């Protein structure tokens, strides 16, 4: 029995999310179904991050145990031949016997993309949030900086969650103006965030709040009161799923 | 009555192409249907290039005549509100009364994108052709250069076409290695071509032939014999539609 670590890139459009559900296509079920054909038996796949419906990944990491003696390059080829074209295994490697993609993850890096132009780029409509109002990037960055460090993120947790430990550490929390927003010109704004863990909808709730800072509805410093409140009602709305990307999962070694 | 010139960007996935067909969604029908609601009467729209099903556009140009006195910014806003999100009017302007987007076009610029990596980038699967075999960019560029100038492109015309005049002038015909092919790394190869006119499937047939040069199946110099043959059978296969982009249409002034 080998323990395998794979890196996956996927277009989350049209999936119910990472996790297998009673109905609908999930990334996990696509990978598990492909592996079951290779193994000739059910294979349980553990993902580092449970991305929601519509969320994309460049570097999701997953792990599983395999009895089959198939060589790793053949495993990668067979997986990519069976997976739908929206999902690609970009790397396949053997790891330590007790490796678990979820529990061994030291941190995760997400990116949230906003196209800040009057007219949306039609090629980014499923991959970035269109915010036509003018956004003050400097104010958004000042607010983003207040989220760095070890803080209680309860105010940014999806309503109805009953996770008791809501303290997380963010080592990166910043906005950049990445590149052209498309044929009509204009800016693509990217929020990059790295943390040791994320609560449900946390990145999307942070982005929804920081966009309210960008439009002038909230001053940057008000983020401190939102954090202190531990109240979901004090933060802004949840940004749409399709602007969110799981960029990478970081491990020791 | 005003004559209006609009620039359109569209994701051609899911459309039967530019031109209105008996069945299926076309870009032309979407634009004409939206304009009919604004005008309160049928509006005939002329497109500069008749892109095929699955072909994308960054700068398609179209023209039409409008009785409605609607202000141009409002016209653009109304159009984008009614068009599906895959199609955006990126510019709307009044032009000379006799302007016709098709007949006034001096030249058109197309781009063909190839992802030349073992594993396809899932986010480019609908926007570039995946060619996993190694391609010799230098050989492809040598062959592309032989297509510049005023030549008879009959060999690159879709079989069954009965256009008599098959001489066209290409001012640009070159390959560049644009940027990263995605999460698994590797090159994106772009063929850029500008000409005073294009025969049916001409760019895709050129690309299919130049890729055969890239894999070593044909020497670069063999392109001269293909041109001289005026025989579709002497050229290579038709590259898939989804890698092709109408980048811009050029006019005088």
């Amino acid at each position: 029995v080998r323990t395998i670590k794979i890196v996956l890139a996927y277009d989350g459009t049209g999936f119910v999310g990472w996790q297998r559900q009673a109905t609908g296509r999930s990334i996990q079920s696509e990978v598990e179904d492909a592996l079951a054909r290779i193994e000739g038996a059910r294979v349980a796949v553990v993902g580092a991050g449970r991305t929601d419906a519509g969320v994309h990944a460049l570097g999701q990491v997953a792990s599983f145990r395999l009895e089959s003696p198939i060589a790793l390059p053949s495993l990668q080829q067979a997986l990519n031949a069976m997976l739908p074209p929206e999902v690609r295994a970009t790397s396949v490697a053997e790891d330590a016997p007790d490796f678990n993609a979820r529990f061994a993850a030291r941190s995760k890096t997400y990116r949230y993309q906003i196209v800040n132009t009057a007219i949306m780029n039609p090629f980014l409509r499923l991959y970035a949030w269109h915010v036509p109002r003018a956004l003050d990037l400097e104010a958004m960055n000042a607010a983003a900086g207040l989220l760095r460090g070890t803080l209680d993120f309860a105010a940014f947790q999806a309503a109805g969650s009953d996770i008791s430990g809501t303290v997380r550490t963010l080592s990166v929390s910043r906005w950049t103006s990445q590149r052209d927003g498309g044929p009509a010109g204009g800016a693509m704004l990217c929020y990059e965030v790295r943390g040791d863990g994320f609560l449900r909808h946390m990145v999307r709730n942070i982005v929804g709040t920081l966009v309210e800072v960008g439009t002038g509805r909230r001053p940057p410093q008000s983020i401190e009161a939102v954090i202190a409140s531990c109240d979901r009602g004090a933060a802004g709305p949840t940004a749409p799923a399709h602007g969110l990307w799981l960029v990478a999962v970081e491990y020791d070694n």
Side-chain angles (χ1 to χ4, degrees), chain A:
Chain A
V1 179
R2 289 172 296 172
T3 297
I4 311 288
K5 175 188 181 183
I6 58 173
V7 181
L8 296 166
Y10 51 83
D11 181 338
T13 312
F15 289 94
V16 297
W18 165 263
Q19 207 161 13
R20 188 185 275 274
Q21 308 280 334
T23 58
R25 295 163 75 211
S26 69
I27 317 294
Q28 186 183 33
S29 64
E30 295 286 350
V31 177
E32 287 185 344
D33 293 354
L35 287 171
R37 289 171 60 187
I38 294 165
E39 179 81 336
R42 170 158 159 64
V43 177
V45 173
V46 174
R50 298 190 200 148
T51 54
D52 289 326
V55 174
H56 313 291
L58 291 174
Q60 166 77 292
V61 176
S63 61
F64 52 87
R65 281 148 169 270
L66 206 69
E67 303 264 5
S68 161
I70 186 171
L72 294 179
S74 307
L75 174 60
Q76 183 171 13
Q77 219 166 5
L79 263 177
N80 282 327
M82 286 186 279
L83 287 169
E86 299 101 308
V87 185
R88 296 289 89 182
T90 60
S91 147
V92 171
E94 186 171 352
D95 210 298
D98 63 344
F99 176 74
N100 177 299
R102 184 169 172 212
F103 298 119
R106 285 285 160 259
S107 65
K108 285 179 218 124
T109 303
Y110 285 92
R111 185 165 74 207
Y112 196 96
Q113 298 188 339
I114 290 178
V115 172
N116 187 29
T117 57
I119 297 163
M120 185 57 175
N121 177 343
F123 299 98
L124 293 175
R125 73 192 188 284
L126 303 171
Y127 307 109
W129 183 21
H130 180 215
V131 178
R133 289 154 297 164
L135 292 175
D136 180 342
L137 191 68
E138 216 173 305
M140 288 162 76
N141 242 330
L146 299 173
L147 294 164
R148 265 196 303 271
T150 301
L151 298 164
D152 189 332
F153 287 94
F156 296 100
Q157 181 176 216
S161 304
D162 58 356
I163 299 268
S164 53
T166 50
V167 173
R168 296 291 184 274
T169 300
L170 299 187
S171 56
V172 175
S173 170
R174 67 170 166 233
W175 288 90
T176 52
S177 182
Q178 283 295 87
R179 53 179 171 95
D180 194 88
M188 160 91 98
L189 307 182
C190 290
Y191 177 60
E192 195 191 342
V193 61
R194 180 176 301 156
D196 61 352
F198 292 88
L199 304 166
R200 193 161 150 70
H201 291 180
M202 180 169 144
V203 180
R204 292 163 58 192
N205 291 339
I206 288 175
V207 168
T209 309
L210 296 182
V211 162
E212 288 193 338
V213 170
T215 60
R217 194 186 160 120
R218 297 170 181 267
Q221 299 73 18
S222 70
I223 294 300
E224 287 177 338
V226 173
I227 297 166
S229 76
C230 290
D231 173 14
R232 174 71 189 91
T238 308
H242 67 270
L244 184 60
W245 296 66
L246 173 54
V247 173
V249 186
E250 294 86 21
Y251 296 90
D252 287 339
N253 83 42

